[in-house]
Amino acid sequence: MFYHKKKALLALAVYALLSCGIPFATIASPFPVSQSQINIEALPSPSPEPVYVIELPLPPVAPSDDVDACTKRINPRGTGCIGKTAELRNGNFLPDNKHIVATVTFAGAPAAPDPASIYTGEQLIVIKTDGRTFANGDPWKCITCGIPEANRNGTTSLLEYPQAFKDGRRVLAGNNIVDCGAVLSSPACRPEKARIYPTYWPTTADGSGPGGTIRENRIHPDNMHMGFSSFTTTGGVMGQYAYFGRLVFNPSPTSGTPRVPRYELQNVTRLYDPSALQPFSVYGDELRINNEAISVGELRGFSGSGDELTYVGSNWESSNIDLFAADLTTGHVRRITQHPGYADPIDISADDKWSVILDTRSTNRTMFMAGLRHIPPLTDLVSSTAAASIRNNGQRRFFQPWLLDRAGDRGAYFGQQLNAAGDGSPGSVNDPQWNSQADPRWSWDRTKIAFYQTLTAPPQCGGVNPLPCPVSTADGGRTYRIMLATLTSRIPIKPRTVKTVSDLVPWGVPYVPGQTTPTRWYPPAGMYKVYGKVSGHAAVTLVENSAGNGLEAVAVRYEDYSDHVGVVIHGSENVTAVSDSLTLERVAWYSNLTSSGDQTGSKVTSDGGFHLLIDMMDTEFVANGTLTTTIDGEIYAQPENYT
Ligand SMILES: *[C@@H]1O[C@H](CO)[C@@H](O)[C@H](O)[C@H]1NC(C)=O
Ligand SMILES: *[C@@H]1O[C@H](CO)[C@@H](O)[C@H](O)[C@H]1NC(C)=O
Ligand SMILES: *[C@@H]1O[C@H](CO)[C@@H](O)[C@H](O)[C@H]1NC(C)=O
Ligand SMILES: *[C@@H]1O[C@H](CO)[C@@H](O)[C@H](O)[C@H]1NC(C)=O
Ligand SMILES: *[C@@H]1O[C@H](CO)[C@@H](O)[C@H](O)[C@H]1NC(C)=O
Ligand SMILES: *[C@@H]1O[C@H](CO)[C@@H](O)[C@H](O)[C@H]1NC(C)=O
């Protein structure tokens, strides 16, 4: 369990590493940015919509994980119980828009041969979202409980990111594909007929070995392709690349393990090209920031039409972690979020017109570091991992779901929080102690959104932590819940058919099994000038680390610098980041910046600077000194240590 938590945290953190080295290449992009780009900032923003949020039913809760804890009194139908604090995930909708898939952790089952003994451990279920029940009276149905070992040979954890295919019969769950042979919600889908197949990514020239370690899997809407990510650990620093490939069923593989019927990833493209335009480039003593560069840190999914992929990318503004989309064919990049809050989970509706994101923007969590807008992402060459890692306090997330229209954040439009209405009381839909977690999912008719939440738990509350622990008001005292938001004024639409896209992503690099992974380029140490897009300039000093495999410090002095009409940045800032381990960073930060014009504000550190020790997996905030952002008189301070 702990392992999965770590994985989930990492899923959200690692995009930042890309900034540790952005490949050196000053060649012009093969995809020039269209001159006719519409002025997104000027688009009118949509009116807030009525939203109705409910909690979806789940199996009853066992008081403990002990054998037989799930008694007949708790579940008279003998269809299992879930653990009180055990993990679950919501998945997407079946094509009928009346069911979602989900993974849950069953607990307290009786021992075999009791028929209820199959309701144990991580399993895939479907949940009715229309208030109805299956024939046995349960509003859920377990799909994988009781699948014989021989029919799930070589498979692994089902927990992460369950995603049903449009055939309604198959579901990607973790690194596996569950195939029930019939629509999951139908009586014909039974465990005796279901199979689970592993996925396999060949990464050796001769096809031997266990294949590559993949994560953050997302099915492309053509249902033929899949996007995924994979970690790298070069030079003692963690990084990751995203990939895109075709899923091909191989009933009888002759190489590699597990040598069982499996789905193989073929014709894989690495979504990073060292020879393409990079987020930074060097021209003599000038350092340029290239917003049109494609900088896929972690792939987050695809648009509804499948034309674009979404990702957490290189920042356009300092410390401000955002979501981007890149066209799979042309490589055209657009920025979806701008708010200084941290966002990474996203789902785009089938008609491409809406996004739902999870973002910290309702809490001001990241404002002390990212609040001052339109500072170029220069210290980010060393500080972006820290800027990403402050978003959580361990398992306590500060995410809530937000609705954005297609063009995303712009001007004064920052979307609509879906679960904003409520009295904030314990267990209410807007109880801030229920934190949302990845991924939210649209119904195909784009009238509903499913998302899940967890309740703040020790050590993020209680004991020495100043935050008292909330008491769960959920059924059985469980600390997970799945929510359903309905946009009640919407008329359901039929999703259009999605055409199968090419295996080739022209701006990526075909992956050849066995080839070595490139390292990301970063600008060489030295002194540079950066010119503001509107006016002024910045003098930048980049310092290499002692190992000679990355940058360690960035010092910047801004002189009437402006990237945005009406906002002028002045002052100096420097950040040094040293890796204590693959994931632990020690950051020394000095800021003395002012912003004038439309946004009057400052970003300043206390005497002696702001010193942060942060592990990108643990995301526990421990600092000495302060970093404070003030905007138009509003003061944003950092969180207290350990909160
Ligand atoms: C699983 O597959 C392996 C490799 O083909 C085989 O040796 C083993 O017997 C299979 N196990 C089951 C339970 O089918
Ligand atoms: C895709 O992979 C298959 C099998 O490895 C190969 O035969 C085919 O040529 C590849 N297609 C492309 C477009 O590379
Ligand atoms: C966030 O800051 C704004 C001021 O910009 C304030 O109105 C709001 O109450 C703050 N939210 C929280 C949760 O502190
Ligand atoms: C960063 O700023 C602090 C405070 O002004 C200063 O002591 C330190 O030398 C600076 N570091 C670099 C690398 O410029
Ligand atoms: C911050 O910058 C201002 C001028 O912009 C300067 O007067 C002040 O001394 C600086 N503070 C520190 C601590 O360097
Ligand atoms: C904070 O200061 C203490 C005492 O000097 C030191 O032991 C600790 O490492 C510092 N923590 C950070 C994050 O710099």
Side-chain angles (χ1 to χ4, degrees):
M1 215 89 72
F2 184 59
Y3 174 65
H4 295 310
K5 282 186 185 170
K6 284 248 168 181
K7 263 197 342 191
L9 285 168
L10 214 51
L12 306 177
V14 160
Y15 86 92
L17 297 156
L18 75 94
S19 65
C20 296
I22 304 302
F24 183 83
T26 54
I27 301 154
S29 165
F31 307 105
V33 176
S34 158
Q35 297 304 303
S36 59
Q37 261 186 64
I38 43 166
N39 180 7
I40 296 218
E41 298 294 318
L43 289 176
S45 55
S47 305
E49 295 184 46
V51 194
Y52 179 61
V53 183
I54 58 163
E55 190 180 329
L56 286 176
L58 283 167
V61 175
S64 79
D65 292 356
D66 298 343
V67 174
D68 276 331
C70 180
T71 59
K72 273 267 148 57
R73 202 167 57 79
I74 298 171
N75 186 344
R77 280 186 275 274
T79 50
C81 297
I82 58 173
K84 201 167 170 171
T85 60
E87 301 232 13
L88 57 74
R89 303 281 184 268
N90 70 276
N92 64 348
F93 284 77
L94 294 184
D96 66 4
N97 296 303
K98 291 178 180 161
H99 302 84
I100 60 161
V101 293
T103 44
V104 298
T105 313
F106 282 94
D114 189 309
S117 63
I118 60 172
Y119 297 100
T120 190
E122 281 170 16
Q123 305 286 354
L124 176 75
I125 67 171
V126 285
I127 303 171
K128 288 200 179 275
T129 59
D130 59 359
R132 294 171 171 254
T133 58
F134 288 96
N136 71 352
D138 282 338
W140 77 89
K141 166 184 169 181
C142 187
I143 303 301
T144 51
C145 297
I147 297 182
E149 205 53 52
N151 293 347
R152 57 190 304 164
N153 199 356
T155 62
T156 52
S157 166
L158 296 173
L159 185 68
E160 295 298 346
Y161 301 111
Q163 294 158 71
F165 287 71
K166 290 174 188 170
D167 59 17
R169 301 146 60 126
R170 290 175 303 151
V171 180
L172 176 71
N175 294 334
N176 313 281
I177 290 176
V178 177
D179 187 343
C180 207
V183 171
L184 301 181
S185 54
S186 73
C189 164
R190 297 193 308 271
E192 312 86 76
K193 293 177 66 187
R195 312 238 357 187
I196 312 179
Y197 303 106
T199 52
Y200 182 80
W201 176 32
T203 50
T204 54
D206 62 0
S208 63
T213 305
I214 67 172
R215 56 192 301 279
E216 295 290 324
N217 304 337
R218 300 292 188 285
I219 305 176
H220 185 274
D222 73 3
N223 278 212
M224 301 297 289
H225 293 92
M226 190 175 100
F228 59 99
S229 294
S230 183
F231 285 137
T232 59
T233 52
T234 12
V237 182
M238 213 154 176
Q240 110 176 301
Y241 288 115
Y243 298 84
F244 181 79
R246 179 182 277 266
L247 272 174
V248 180
F249 184 66
N250 184 347
S252 48
T254 53
S255 60
T257 53
R259 206 164 298 176
V260 296
R262 66 193 186 196
Y263 277 87
E264 296 179 351
L265 286 155
Q266 293 182 5
N267 305 90
V268 171
T269 301
R270 187 185 61 236
L271 300 173
Y272 168 67
D273 180 359
S275 67
L277 182 75
Q278 303 300 321
F280 291 86
S281 52
V282 169
Y283 298 82
D285 70 349
E286 186 190 348
L287 185 66
R288 275 190 210 163
I289 302 164
N290 306 311
N291 283 348
E292 67 275 31
I294 308 167
S295 61
V296 183
E298 185 169 282
L299 182 136
R300 298 305 307 176
F302 299 94
S303 60
S305 62
D307 293 348
E308 292 177 314
L309 62 86
T310 54
Y311 61 97
V312 182
S314 207
N315 295 347
W316 284 17
E317 294 177 69
S318 191
S319 302
N320 186 356
I321 314 296
D322 283 318
L323 284 158
F324 300 86
D327 190 291
L328 268 176
T329 311
T330 66
H332 174 70
V333 170
R334 64 185 185 94
R335 183 184 183 186
I336 297 172
T337 61
Q338 296 191 8
H339 192 282
Y342 173 102
D344 78 42
I346 180 168
D347 192 37
I348 297 184
S349 61
D351 66 354
D352 280 351
K353 294 202 172 117
W354 299 90
S355 293
V356 56
I357 61 165
L358 300 184
D359 193 291
T360 64
R361 61 184 59 180
S362 58
T363 66
N364 297 336
R365 172 87 182 173
T366 60
M367 290 294 281
F368 75 101
M369 193 179 273
L372 209 60
R373 299 283 313 269
H374 309 298
I375 303 172
L378 294 167
T379 68
D380 302 59
L381 281 162
V382 300
S383 65
S384 64
T385 300
S389 304
I390 60 166
R391 73 190 183 282
N392 294 334
N393 176 22
Q395 274 305 294
R396 184 181 178 204
R397 308 291 162 82
F398 297 89
F399 280 151
Q400 293 302 344
W402 287 74
L403 177 69
L404 287 178
D405 73 2
R406 173 174 165 83
D409 288 340
R410 60 194 180 271
Y413 172 67
F414 293 111
Q416 175 184 0
Q417 187 179 343
L418 286 172
N419 59 342
D423 60 10
S425 63
S428 61
V429 300
N430 65 339
D431 177 351
Q433 294 309 329
W434 281 94
N435 317 275
S436 301
Q437 307 217 357
D439 270 348
R441 286 294 184 173
W442 281 102
S443 62
W444 300 99
D445 63 7
R446 61 115 174 90
T447 64
K448 296 183 179 68
I449 293 136
F451 60 99
Y452 83 97
Q453 298 184 310
T454 64
L455 188 64
T456 307
Q460 282 79 43
C461 62
V464 293
N465 194 300
L467 181 71
C469 278
V471 177
S472 174
T473 60
D475 177 45
R478 66 176 142 71
T479 57
Y480 283 81
R481 64 183 191 181
I482 300 182
M483 312 299 282
L484 181 74
T486 302
L487 300 165
T488 54
S489 63
R490 291 192 174 195
I491 294 158
I493 57 152
K494 276 215 157 58
R496 55 188 159 176
T497 36
V498 171
K499 59 181 186 309
T500 301
V501 298
S502 167
D503 291 344
L504 302 171
V505 181
W507 48 266
V509 175
Y511 172 76
V512 179
Q515 77 178 179
T516 51
T517 311
T519 49
R520 295 207 191 235
W521 178 82
Y522 56 93
M527 288 164 73
Y528 299 99
K529 252 191 174 169
V530 176
Y531 294 96
K533 291 185 175 68
V534 178
S535 66
H537 69 271
V540 186
T541 305
L542 306 182
V543 181
E544 179 113 53
N545 65 20
S546 53
N549 61 7
L551 293 175
E552 180 170 289
V554 177
V556 195
R557 176 168 293 280
Y558 296 97
E559 306 254 3
D560 298 321
Y561 183 98
S562 179
D563 270 347
H564 186 89
V565 175
V567 176
V568 180
I569 306 294
H570 204 84
S572 62
E573 189 161 44
N574 78 51
V575 180
T576 302
V578 176
S579 295
D580 280 12
S581 75
L582 263 187
T583 57
L584 181 67
E585 249 185 28
R586 195 173 287 280
V587 182
W589 192 307
Y590 302 85
S591 288
N592 185 16
L593 297 180
T594 59
S595 169
S596 55
D598 297 349
Q599 160 198 262
T600 305
S602 63
K603 181 176 182 180
V604 293
T605 45
S606 53
D607 288 347
F610 165 71
H611 299 268
L612 178 68
L613 184 66
I614 198 143
D615 187 296
M616 71 172 79
M617 297 217 285
D618 296 342
T619 58
E620 185 178 74
F621 185 90
V622 188
N624 288 333
T626 61
L627 172 62
T628 309
T629 289
T630 305
I631 300 168
D632 297 328
E634 199 77 49
I635 297 168
Y636 300 99
Q638 72 213 41
E640 274 179 63
N641 282 350
Y642 306 105
T643 72

